[in-house]
Amino acid sequence: MSPVSADAATDRVAAKRDHSHSNAARVEGLLARFHQIRDFTNTLCADLEPEDCVVQSMPDVSPTKWHVAHTTWFFETFILKKFSPGYRAEIPEYAYLFNSYYNAAGSMHRRDLRGLISRPTVREAQRYRASIDSHIDSLLSRADEKLVDEIEPILVLGFHHEQQHQELLVTDIKHVFAQNPLYPVFRDVALASSQSIGKARQQFIDFEEAIIDIGHDGRGFAYDNEGPRHRALVPVFSLSSRPVTNGEYMAFIEDNGYARPEFWLSLGWMTVNEQRWQAPLYWTKHEGAWWHFTLSGFRPVDESEPVTHVSYFEADAYANWAGARLPTEFEWERAASDCPIEGNFVEDENFHPRALSNSGADKRLHQMFGDVWEWTRSAYSPYPGYRAAPGALGEYNGKFMCNQYVLRGGSCATSRSHIRRTYRNFFQPEKRWQFTGIRLARDPQ
Ligand SMILES: [Fe+2]
């Protein structure tokens, strides 16, 4: 071998070593993230008893045990079954029980009957979880660069999927506990009292007409429904500096807001009457004052906190009563473009929206992220040029683009690392069990 080709061979060996080092570092990073997210689900369940984990209090709510197993099924179905040669499911029937809505992945158990499933037990569901985690560990640890390239996007989708279920786990256990006259405490968190915080005045911030870029720019992870990025004309508008508070919402209730059809959409008016709504979900009049069920137990409603657990119909009626409207999702995204992604998220473990402190009196946007999801008046529909991906994972978002409204900004049950300025959450207009709130917008006066 000539000195030149010897040098080239040495270079090749060194490059290969560098490559395998960088692949090892990448796998290490992915596994660290995987375990961090999986562990946080376990942390959320840490104080729950097995009896808590099997109740389904309404069709929208899933038992904690189901969330624990379904998030595991996701990694098993879309990674292990696809990429791990010779992988055989220990209990093949779990594929039927823990599939949620992926028709391309096979048939599934009825969503509204999840609370009737006492087996597998909670302990068995946790064992399933641990077993899939160790399979993922060993698959990734021996994966070469090409395989990691294939697995990584699905694994990262699995992280975000699990974070979504962490949020549902929190809101679902709240609904479960709220049915219990003993009002169980999920976490005993001292909530700041309005006396110590004071009241932050609502102000409106003006935005000029502009053509802006809407949607994700492709740097880092995003769901497919956040794209394609496109241009949109956003006419002049103003946006409230903070979400509507409980105190402000009480004024709507006291002004007979729930009994005055002039504020309500027709469908909303029908729903209010059918459901006999008189206040947000979890609110009760107790000895002449409003109280509500929180994840820290039954408490007086704090007037300074953002109002939450309101439907789109209530948010819209409140806005009409207040002489304002809900923002469009484009207005919201434009306004959020300069806001740092900080706020009260699930990692803070308050599990409840927080009142804005006195420092919130300055004229800028506050609480755009965290605390409460903000209803927009935008129907959840595809952006121009949107195409759902083929196969089961293409069922993630696209097929839900009908009869739902977009919410923005995340809540006290959302992970900080999960939310983005372009993030589009969506629910049907009558849903109230998520931490949903209101931020007002206005047209030029
Ligand atoms: Fe899911």
Side-chain angles (χ1 to χ4, degrees):
M1 192 181 279
S2 73
V4 173
S5 60
D7 278 357
T10 313
D11 285 353
R12 274 201 301 278
V13 170
K16 207 169 165 190
R17 201 172 45 231
D18 282 356
H19 241 63
S20 68
H21 275 162
S22 70
N23 192 47
R26 189 166 152 217
V27 165
E28 200 181 312
L30 285 169
L31 280 177
R33 186 94 183 102
F34 174 73
H35 286 293
Q36 185 191 30
I37 286 167
R38 300 286 281 167
D39 288 350
F40 190 62
T41 304
N42 298 337
T43 304
L44 290 173
C45 302
D47 296 338
L48 296 176
E49 299 295 339
E51 290 84 349
D52 300 326
C53 296
V54 297
V55 179
Q56 180 171 33
S57 49
M58 64 161 171
D60 284 326
V61 159
S62 298
T64 306
K65 182 180 73 182
W66 188 87
H67 288 299
V68 162
H70 164 72
T71 47
T72 302
W73 166 90
F74 189 97
F75 290 111
E76 182 185 36
T77 304
F78 297 117
I79 295 185
L80 295 178
K81 287 187 178 172
K82 198 159 171 214
F83 298 105
S84 189
Y87 175 80
R88 292 273 296 276
E90 222 170 290
I91 303 172
E93 293 79 8
Y94 283 4
Y96 176 77
L97 269 186
F98 300 124
N99 180 0
S100 52
Y101 56 67
Y102 300 87
N103 294 310
S107 55
M108 65 212 69
H109 185 240
R110 260 174 61 180
R111 181 184 182 184
D112 57 337
L113 302 183
R114 288 172 188 164
L116 302 182
I117 304 302
S118 61
R119 306 298 173 98
T121 63
V122 173
R123 201 184 309 158
E124 284 165 339
Q126 282 161 344
R127 217 176 292 144
Y128 170 50
R129 195 173 166 84
S131 151
I132 296 303
D133 284 3
S134 76
H135 278 292
I136 292 280
D137 270 335
S138 56
L139 172 65
L140 273 173
S141 309
R142 53 173 206 267
D144 61 16
E145 202 181 349
K146 189 170 158 286
L147 187 56
V148 177
D149 280 345
E150 284 187 83
I151 291 177
E152 184 173 3
I154 304 168
L155 191 66
V156 172
L157 181 64
F159 300 164
H160 287 268
H161 173 255
E162 180 131 0
Q163 288 181 315
Q164 283 186 287
H165 278 278
Q166 288 165 354
E167 174 151 10
L168 290 170
L169 191 154
V170 169
T171 52
D172 289 0
I173 200 68
K174 182 170 182 177
H175 195 268
V176 168
F177 279 178
Q179 313 311 311
N180 187 334
L182 298 179
Y183 293 134
V185 168
F186 175 70
R187 283 301 159 78
D188 198 4
V189 180
L191 301 174
S193 80
S194 51
Q195 279 82 4
S196 63
I197 279 181
K199 285 184 181 146
R201 196 157 62 89
Q202 173 170 242
Q203 305 186 68
F204 279 84
I205 292 138
D206 298 330
F207 292 84
E208 289 302 314
E209 176 173 299
I211 293 172
I212 58 161
D213 288 325
I214 289 291
H216 196 257
D217 64 9
R219 279 180 293 178
F221 176 83
Y223 287 120
D224 63 353
N225 64 3
E226 294 165 59
R229 193 164 163 88
H230 61 284
R231 312 201 86 194
L233 171 70
V234 180
V236 58
F237 71 102
S238 50
L239 190 65
S240 174
S241 54
R242 58 159 175 75
V244 171
T245 62
N246 287 327
E248 288 161 346
Y249 199 82
M250 278 179 202
F252 167 67
I253 298 173
E254 278 154 25
D255 197 27
N256 239 356
Y258 278 84
R260 294 170 63 182
E262 65 265 35
F263 302 131
W264 295 81
L265 289 162
S266 169
L267 212 50
W269 184 241
M270 235 162 69
T271 309
V272 163
N273 287 296
E274 266 171 27
Q275 303 293 324
R276 301 181 184 200
W277 288 345
Q278 297 186 341
L281 181 63
Y282 303 129
W283 285 37
T284 313
K285 258 278 170 68
H286 179 62
E287 294 175 353
W290 285 112
W291 283 59
H292 60 170
F293 178 69
T294 73
L295 282 163
S296 302
F298 193 52
R299 296 181 179 232
V301 172
D302 183 325
E303 293 193 17
S304 298
E305 287 168 4
V307 67
T308 188
H309 298 300
V310 288
S311 62
Y312 176 83
F313 294 137
E314 288 160 298
D316 180 73
Y318 175 85
N320 286 330
W321 172 82
R325 62 170 173 81
L326 300 177
T328 67
E329 62 168 322
F330 305 121
E331 289 168 339
W332 194 98
E333 190 167 321
R334 175 176 185 206
S337 65
D338 294 328
C339 296
I341 300 182
E342 55 188 34
N344 172 26
F345 292 106
V346 72
E347 292 87 348
D348 300 297
E349 301 197 31
N350 293 312
F351 306 109
H352 193 74
R354 287 268 173 179
L356 189 57
S357 70
N358 270 330
S359 61
D362 54 328
K363 196 171 178 180
R364 65 180 177 86
L365 296 168
H366 298 274
Q367 295 176 296
M368 288 289 277
F369 295 99
D371 289 301
V372 290
W373 285 103
E374 300 177 10
W375 282 110
T376 75
R377 70 191 318 185
S378 299
Y380 179 50
S381 56
Y383 285 165
Y386 171 82
R387 298 282 294 256
L393 290 174
E395 295 184 57
Y396 206 108
N397 282 307
K399 71 181 188 183
F400 300 110
M401 291 173 172
C402 176
N403 293 348
Q404 314 215 40
Y405 282 87
V406 173
L407 299 106
R408 294 295 196 119
S411 80
C412 56
T414 311
S415 280
R416 183 175 278 108
S417 60
H418 182 67
I419 197 71
R420 287 173 295 283
R421 292 180 182 85
T422 55
Y423 194 106
R424 307 172 80 202
N425 196 3
F426 49 91
F427 279 100
Q428 290 97 349
E430 73 281 8
K431 302 299 185 203
R432 313 208 287 175
W433 95 112
Q434 296 302 300
F435 286 98
T436 45
I438 313 167
R439 185 184 297 267
L440 297 179
R442 275 187 193 157
D443 294 315
Q445 302 293 306

